[in-house]
Amino acid sequence: MLSETVFRSDEVPAADRFDCWRELISQTHAPLELHSDHRADFRASQRLLDLGAVAVWPTTFQPVCFRRTPKLIRRSDPEGLHLSLPLNGTLRVTRGDEEAVYGPDSLCVVDTSRPVDVHGGDGTGLHTGIGLEVPKALLPLPRTHLDKAAALRLPTQDGFGALLAHLLTQLARGADSYQPADAPRLGTVIVDLLSALLAHSLEADNLLLPETRRRTLVLRIRAFVQQHLHDPHLNPHTIAAAHHISPSYLHRLFEDEEETVAAWIRLQRLQRARRDLAEPSLRNLPIHTIATRCGFTDAAVFSRTFRSAYGVPPSHFRSQAHSE
């Protein structure tokens, strides 16, 4: 499990809740002024996931205004980028004379070196979102480009934005599936995705380091495979064509990975089939249908492959899973 620090306001006396959370936010992000109509009995929770130099923090709070002023910037500036992904509610952000509203379809970028007002939440309901802190020094883009980042609206429906939002959401759901040793690797993945997303949005893809481009392309390919496991025609040639690269280059990309492309596709199909066989809501779905949904066109081949991987045939595995 990843290392995490948890704060819950209901574990703090009501009179101290707002000040405790304000101090926590200032330590997590940067010194801020916080204002809220609910400070007398403020409700908030936060989990801080430490990924080395990168931090991810799922949070829920009552409506509040965060203000980063020139005075606070002069006093302390970690020189980082903060990204917010709203999950429930919106963020209203004022930068100078410009105002923008962000919802779950976009990532909001805040530069710790620039003044900003962020209004999170509306009315009396709780706002839920995920914060991400990344030092600018980790991003392989010129400072002149990073200075433009705060003006960007980064979409999360497709491309690198979708990959980054998916990873942040997955981390927010729980860190149980990861080990402490995974933290630096996850931090690197996040930095790569953010770098590629910013470079694409700033039309500066050519400024990315070759290794960053390679790793982000592998991430895009992995996501593509997950989305098309049901397609029986999914193979190295169709994957290469979809990403406008040659099959030989695709195989070179996976030389440093744990499995070949074909082996990884087979493993993902088996893992999805195994998960579906153990899923209570799919208990009455025929095994051959599950196999087809996972890209296996021959039930006998699926049964042999499954048994070779897990030591028991699919029917036996399903019986065991639902008898526990």
Side-chain angles (χ1 to χ4, degrees):
M1 181 175 179
L2 295 175
S3 172
E4 65 177 45
T5 304
V6 179
F7 169 83
R8 297 186 180 89
S9 60
D10 56 11
E11 297 175 351
V12 178
D16 300 329
R17 290 174 182 173
F18 188 75
D19 289 338
C20 285
W21 195 64
R22 176 174 55 192
E23 181 63 26
L24 177 64
I25 292 295
S26 293
Q27 292 174 2
T28 304
H29 171 59
L32 295 162
E33 289 182 3
L34 265 65
H35 305 277
S36 176
D37 294 335
H38 308 277
R39 61 179 301 156
D41 186 13
F42 194 70
R43 289 180 292 154
S45 63
Q46 178 177 308
R47 292 166 43 231
L48 178 63
L49 305 177
D50 183 358
L51 306 179
V54 174
V56 174
W57 44 289
T59 185
T60 299
F61 52 83
Q62 286 184 291
V64 66
C65 175
F66 309 85
R67 179 167 293 157
R68 181 86 170 136
T69 65
K71 181 178 179 180
L72 289 174
I73 293 170
R74 289 193 298 271
R75 183 190 304 171
S76 175
D77 183 10
E79 296 194 357
L81 291 183
H82 167 83
L83 279 80
S84 290
L85 174 63
L87 298 178
N88 179 41
T90 61
L91 295 175
R92 186 161 43 89
V93 181
T94 303
R95 304 179 183 92
D97 296 329
E98 297 184 357
E99 182 176 294
V101 178
Y102 299 84
D105 61 342
S106 58
L107 286 158
C108 168
V109 183
V110 170
D111 186 334
T112 64
S113 305
R114 296 178 178 274
V116 66
D117 285 7
V118 180
H119 295 262
D122 300 299
T124 59
L126 292 172
H127 176 90
T128 302
I130 306 171
L132 168 64
E133 306 291 339
V134 179
K136 295 177 191 174
L138 293 182
L139 299 167
L141 292 170
R143 185 55 62 95
T144 53
H145 285 70
L146 292 179
D147 287 344
K148 302 174 184 176
L152 297 173
R153 177 185 294 275
L154 302 175
T156 59
Q157 296 96 331
D158 52 30
F160 292 117
L163 292 178
L164 181 56
H166 176 76
L167 177 55
L168 294 177
T169 304
Q170 186 180 48
L171 288 170
R173 288 192 183 121
D176 297 346
S177 58
Y178 300 100
Q179 299 300 318
D182 295 325
R185 289 192 288 269
L186 287 167
T188 298
V189 170
I190 287 173
V191 169
D192 283 340
L193 287 175
L194 178 56
S195 299
L197 177 57
L198 292 174
H200 181 73
S201 300
L202 294 167
E203 299 183 350
D205 298 85
N206 61 312
L207 297 178
L208 289 177
L209 297 173
E211 183 59 20
T212 299
R213 288 201 295 267
R214 189 198 73 81
R215 289 196 298 251
T216 53
L217 179 54
V218 170
L219 289 171
R220 286 177 56 199
I221 289 170
R222 289 184 181 276
F224 178 86
V225 169
Q226 293 288 354
Q227 294 167 0
H228 294 83
L229 284 178
H230 63 280
D231 184 356
H233 301 295
L234 182 72
N235 58 49
H237 287 276
T238 58
I239 294 170
H243 292 84
H244 309 291
I245 59 177
S246 67
S248 60
Y249 182 61
L250 175 64
H251 289 300
R252 287 202 301 275
L253 285 173
F254 274 73
E255 283 178 353
D256 295 331
E257 305 297 315
E258 295 181 359
E259 303 98 0
T260 65
V261 183
W264 191 75
I265 294 172
R266 184 170 58 252
L267 176 61
Q268 298 310 302
R269 283 176 163 155
L270 284 169
Q271 288 180 344
R272 181 166 295 183
R274 186 173 185 266
R275 183 194 66 196
D276 288 353
L277 288 168
E279 172 58 45
S281 64
L282 302 178
R283 187 171 187 170
N284 295 321
L285 195 66
I287 290 177
H288 68 84
T289 302
I290 288 178
T292 300
R293 284 164 40 129
C294 297
F296 292 97
T297 56
D298 188 306
V301 170
F302 168 66
S303 183
R304 287 197 303 270
T305 306
F306 190 95
R307 182 168 189 164
S308 176
Y310 300 115
V312 294
S315 58
H316 188 57
F317 173 82
R318 174 182 257 184
S319 298
Q320 286 182 322
H322 293 295
S323 65
E324 294 178 353

